[in-house]
Amino acid sequence: MGEKKCPHCGNWSKWTTDVNDICEHCGKPLGGRDLEYKEQRDRDTKANEEQWIFYIKETDSEFVKGMKKVGNFFYTIYMAIITFLAWVIAALPG
């Protein structure tokens, strides 16, 4: 446990290295830019997951869910093969 200077009021508050910690004096978050960055990263991660071609939505039918699972399985196999081939090509010269 340490202390961090509040970016809003300038007073020192107890800080447990969590970006969601609240200032004891003004009640605003101590995270500052780190909190903004984390929230932006969470939004981007969620958007990327939802744009994935094999993302299973709750509204998908059972057939579509099954096809997306099969597609995801074959995509994983494909990426494993490509990764192995890249490793073999990288290992050959040395």
Side-chain angles (χ1 to χ4, degrees), residues 42-59:
D42 290 344
R43 283 193 302 268
D44 290 344
T45 301
K46 184 169 176 40
N48 286 341
E49 286 176 359
E50 291 174 356
Q51 291 175 357
W52 172 242
I53 191 169
F54 298 120
Y55 178 73
I56 298 174
K57 300 174 189 168
E58 291 181 17
T59 58

